[in-house]
Structure formats: structure tokens, C-alpha cells
Amino acid sequence: MNTAIVSEPRTAAALAARRRKTEAAPERVHQAIARLRREEAQVSVAAIARRADVSRTFLYDNVEAGTAVAAAMAQAGEHRSRTLAEQDAEHEAPWRERALNAGDALKATHAEILAQRTRIGESLGRIRDLEAEWTEEAMQRITTENTALKQRVRQLTADNRTLEERLKAARSNLRFQDRRIADLEARLADPLC
């Protein structure tokens, strides 16, 4: 029986504290909304519930809190629409300028392409003119001469290689002969050997 007496005042105190917290909740909701506006943070049911330390259900069930949240969200929506419109206006000017610059660059590019095509056409015409001067017989003669010259170059390269090898052998023989002569001169100078 003693336990029941002690628990009733505790329960009553807990209920009174809960009632005070619930009565203060709408004021906390208004304060949370004001803080979100000052910070220019996004106003949402979740953000308000988190800042006011209340549940989302409370915001939907409590008439005063629900009205305050709806008003704040509507005002935030208008502010966001105004802000987006201002941002669009700010972004539209540079975009328009970039579009005009791109248009000018595109015109200049098309003009350059046309000039390059004209130059290529003229060059191809000159090449055709040069090719027309050469007859089939002249081209065959030049090809034959070119082949003969290549064979002559190969022959001269082979002859050059042969002559270099002979020169190398002659130099080697000369060195050998120089040593032999030096040896014979040394023997003649010193008859005792």
C-alpha cells in the first residue's frame, strides 16, 4: 500500500510535466519556424518537428501548430518561387549572352569552313592540271628510270662495301708489314740477336 501512495504522486507529476510540455509545444513550433526563416533554411514539416522537439503527428493533430506550419510552408513556397524567379532572371542574362556568342562563333566557323572548301577545291584543280601534263608514256619512262636508278644505287652501295673491306684489309696488311720491317730493322741494328 505504501508503494501505491508513492507511485501516484510520481504519476501525477509526470502527467503535469507532460501537460506543460504539450502546452508549450505550439510556442516551440512558432520559435522553430522563426529560426528557420532567420537562417533561410528549408521550411518543412520534418525540419520544424526536429527544431521544436515535437513529433510530426503533433504538428498534424494540433490545430494551432498545424495552422502555423501550413502558413510557414505557404510563405516559404512563395519566397522560394520569388527566389527561383530572381535566380532565373540572373542566369538568363549570361545564358542569352553565351547563346549570342555561340551564334557568332558558329557563323565565323561556317565562313571558315566555306573558305577552306574553296581552297581545297582550288588545290585539287591544280593537282589535276599537273597530272594532265604527264602522259602515260612519260610516267612509264620515269618509272623505268627510277627503277634503273634504284638498281644503280644498290650496285654502287655493294661496290662501296667491297672497296671498304679491301681498304680495311690493305690497312691491316700495311700495319703487319710495318711491324715486320721494324722487327727486321731491329735485327739488323743488333747483329748479336
Side-chain angles (χ1 to χ4, degrees):
M1 183 153 185
N2 198 8
T3 316
I5 294 173
V6 173
S7 67
E8 283 183 27
R10 284 185 187 168
T11 306
L15 288 174
R18 186 172 181 195
R19 193 174 308 114
R20 280 191 304 273
K21 185 176 179 182
T22 303
E23 289 170 357
E27 181 58 30
R28 287 195 316 270
V29 169
H30 289 292
Q31 290 172 354
I33 293 170
R35 271 194 316 249
L36 287 170
R37 284 182 183 155
R38 273 193 312 269
E39 295 170 3
E40 295 182 10
Q42 183 177 359
V43 178
S44 66
V45 174
I48 295 170
R50 202 172 26 256
R51 296 272 180 115
D53 191 28
V54 295
S55 69
R56 293 181 193 181
T57 307
F58 174 81
L59 294 178
Y60 292 120
D61 290 344
N62 186 291
V63 176
E64 183 182 349
T67 305
V69 169
M73 302 244 332
Q75 187 179 10
E78 290 173 11
H79 177 70
R80 188 176 303 130
S81 297
R82 234 179 305 123
T83 304
L84 289 174
E86 290 169 1
Q87 288 174 351
D88 286 346
E90 289 174 6
H91 292 297
E92 187 174 325
W95 176 85
R96 185 175 295 124
E97 189 174 321
R98 284 194 305 268
L100 291 173
N101 290 341
D104 292 342
L106 187 61
K107 287 178 188 176
T109 303
H110 283 300
E112 179 66 23
I113 289 171
L114 183 60
Q116 292 295 330
R117 285 182 177 165
T118 303
R119 194 173 299 152
I120 289 169
E122 291 170 357
S123 298
L124 287 174
R126 286 186 197 138
I127 290 171
R128 283 190 200 108
D129 290 345
L130 291 173
E131 287 176 345
E133 293 177 10
W134 297 98
T135 63
E136 185 66 34
E137 183 180 299
M139 287 192 293
Q140 190 174 10
R141 182 181 47 81
I142 290 172
T143 304
T144 305
E145 289 176 6
N146 189 25
T147 305
L149 287 173
K150 285 181 182 178
Q151 288 174 352
R152 181 75 177 136
V153 166
R154 278 191 226 112
Q155 180 62 40
L156 289 173
T157 303
D159 292 345
N160 188 26
R161 195 175 308 122
T162 304
L163 290 173
E164 284 178 358
E165 289 172 0
R166 286 181 183 171
L167 179 62
K168 187 177 176 183
R171 285 181 179 160
S172 177
N173 286 340
L174 183 62
R175 280 193 300 271
F176 177 74
Q177 294 300 328
D178 284 343
R179 277 190 236 125
R180 178 95 171 129
I181 290 171
D183 188 40
L184 289 173
E185 285 177 349
R187 285 187 182 177
L188 283 175
D190 191 17
L192 295 174
C193 288

